[in-house]
Structures are given as C-alpha cells and as structure tokens.
C-alpha cells in the first residue's frame, strides 16, 4: 500500500545548486500535483499534470520545472535554488474528474542556505 | 476564480469540548468543498467532502460539516474533541466537475487536557 511516495524526504542545498524531487504513485491516477507549504500560507500549487506527457503551471511556478514522462512519476526540478524556495513540498495525485480525493505524499523538506 | 478563507489561524480547546472550524469560500459557479487534516510531520488526508445533495456531510473521526450556500460557508464541527484531534485543518474548494483544489491557509487545532 505505497500510495504516493516522495524522495528525498529531507535535503539541504546551497544557493545556486540544482536538485530534483521525485514523486511516484501506484494508484494509476491521471492527475498529479506539486504543492509547497509555508507557515501561515497553506498549500500553494506549483505545477500539475493531467496525464502522461502533460504539465501546466499553477499558482507559484517561477523557479521550478516539472516533467511527467511516465504516468506514475512526476518530477519537480529546481535549476538554481534560492533561499525563498526553502519549504516543505508535497506531491499529490487523484483520479480524473473534479470530485476525486487528493492523495498526498508525506512531504519533502528542503532547506536552501 | 475560486478562493477560500479560514477565519481562525489557531483554535485552542479543552478535551471533550465541542469545536467549530470556520471556512468561507467565494465563487461565481458551483463548487466542490473539502476538509483535509494534517497531523504533525505527515501529508494531508481527506476528512470529508461536499459534492452535491445533503448539505450535512459526515466524515471520518466523528467530524461533520455543513454546506451553506447562502452564506458561502462550509464550517467543520465535532461535538467532543480528543487529544488526538490536535492537527492542522485545511478547507479547500474546486470548481464543480473540474479544476484544481484551492486551499485555505489552515487552522491549527490544539486540544488540551
């Protein structure tokens, strides 16, 4: 019963370094999402995908890129990390359609020094 | 566009007391409404959702919420809370039948013995 798995769970970067967060889901969901969570800000949508090979911008996409080469995986990349990207990142997935429950991973805590 | 406002950022309450967490939304179209809960160092999980039909929705762990279209509210209630209900609660809205979830900024419920 893996559900949504995020790797890594913790990472410390220096300003300007790059990294990729991996999200994998085993529920055959069409839709996948990347959110960031900051204190007092709730969850803000970074990018999302409605199917393999598709991606779209969310509310706060600047400084991030994503790819969905396989249906089960959704990658979030930071090309040149900045301290403002220190956050907890959550991946989520759901079935096609608007009524489906979002299933979340456990989060990836990123610190940029 | 949809938006959601959670009126209280923190709610302290004693064990076995009733609690209400308030959520208001704005939208010019029909919406779906959700409450998610986040326990410390975990991802979010669905408590309950309103799609259509009965305005009183029952969820897990004894929580319920009432959809009030005239007041554009979807308040979450529990008649008697437990220490284990200590968590952050998020209200979310999406356009009915489509669209991404828009989350509120969260309400931290702290249950004291």
């Amino acid at each position: 019963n893996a559900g949504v798995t995020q790797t890594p769970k913790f990472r410390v970067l220096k300003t300007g370094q790059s990294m990729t967060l991996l999200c994998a889901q085993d529920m055959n969901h069409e839709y996948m999402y990347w959110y960031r969570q900051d204190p007092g800000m709730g969850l803000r949508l970074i990018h999302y995908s409605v199917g393999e090979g598709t991606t779209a911008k969310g509310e706060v996409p600047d400084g991030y890129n994503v790819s969905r080469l396989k249906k089960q995986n959704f990658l979030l990349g930071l090309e040149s990390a900045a301290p403002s990207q220190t956050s907890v990142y959550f991946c989520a997935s759901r079935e096609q359609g608007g009524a489906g429950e979002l299933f979340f991973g456990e989060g990836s805590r990123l610190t940029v020094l | 566009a949809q938006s959601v406002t959670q009126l209280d950022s923190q709610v302290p309450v004693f064990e076995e007391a009733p609690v209400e967490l308030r959520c208001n939304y704005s939208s010019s179209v029909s919406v779906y409404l959700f409450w998610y809960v986040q326990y410390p160092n975990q991802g979010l999980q669905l408590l309950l959702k309103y799609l259509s039909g009965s305005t009183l929705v029952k969820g897990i762990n004894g929580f319920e919420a009432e959809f009030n279209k005239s007041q554009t509210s979807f308040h979450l209630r529990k008649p008697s809370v437990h220490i284990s209900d200590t968590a952050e609660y998020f209200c979310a809205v999406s356009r009915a039948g489509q669209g991404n979830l828009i989350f509120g900024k969260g309400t931290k419920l702290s249950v004291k013995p």
Side-chain angles (χ1 to χ4, degrees):
Chain A
N1 257 12
V4 179
T5 304
Q6 293 181 228
T7 52
K9 290 186 169 43
F10 300 94
R11 183 75 187 268
V12 178
L13 288 178
K14 294 181 179 178
T15 297
Q17 287 185 317
S18 63
M19 75 157 295
T20 300
L21 297 177
L22 170 63
C23 177
Q25 53 97 2
D26 62 2
M27 296 172 284
N28 202 35
H29 286 168
E30 288 292 335
Y31 291 10
M32 296 187 74
Y33 304 82
W34 276 107
Y35 290 89
R36 61 177 290 173
Q37 182 179 26
D38 303 290
M41 300 294 290
L43 275 79
R44 293 180 291 169
L45 182 62
I46 305 171
H47 286 281
Y48 64 100
S49 168
V50 298
E52 181 178 314
T54 75
T55 63
K57 294 180 180 180
E59 182 186 354
V60 289
D62 294 343
Y64 304 96
N65 57 75
V66 288
S67 65
R68 183 99 181 268
L69 298 180
K70 293 182 178 181
K71 185 177 183 179
Q72 63 268 33
N73 295 338
F74 194 31
L75 279 65
L76 177 70
L78 285 71
E79 289 187 348
S80 179
S84 61
Q85 294 177 304
T86 293
S87 187
V88 181
Y89 292 86
F90 286 97
C91 177
S93 69
R94 67 177 173 92
E95 295 176 342
Q96 192 172 2
E101 174 184 353
L102 271 179
F103 290 84
F104 283 83
E106 293 189 343
S108 297
R109 184 175 295 275
L110 175 65
T111 302
V112 183
L113 303 176
Chain B
Q2 293 73 45
S3 67
V4 59
T5 302
Q6 292 184 243
L7 298 163
D8 305 294
S9 59
Q10 297 188 51
V11 173
V13 64
F14 287 106
E15 193 174 18
E16 297 184 4
V19 71
E20 178 180 81
L21 306 184
R22 297 179 294 166
C23 173
N24 285 94
Y25 69 93
S26 68
S27 177
S28 58
V29 298
S30 295
V31 295
Y32 294 154
L33 293 156
F34 305 79
W35 276 99
Y36 282 81
V37 60
Q38 183 181 32
Y39 298 105
N41 299 314
Q42 294 186 25
L44 282 71
Q45 62 185 85
L46 182 67
L47 265 182
L48 49 78
K49 62 183 177 183
Y50 171 79
L51 305 180
S52 65
S54 174
T55 57
L56 183 63
V57 180
K58 294 189 183 297
I60 61 172
N61 299 338
F63 284 93
E64 63 181 32
E66 186 159 17
F67 171 61
N68 188 318
K69 188 174 182 179
S70 63
Q71 297 190 4
T72 61
S73 67
F74 191 54
H75 300 334
L76 181 70
R77 301 185 182 101
K78 186 170 183 178
S80 176
V81 294
H82 301 291
I83 298 288
S84 59
D85 292 324
T86 295
E88 190 160 16
Y89 293 79
F90 292 93
C91 183
V93 63
S94 71
R95 184 173 176 175
Q98 59 180 304
N100 301 318
L101 260 65
I102 305 298
F103 284 88
K105 294 185 177 182
T107 298
K108 289 185 178 178
L109 175 65
S110 175
V111 181
K112 303 178 186 304

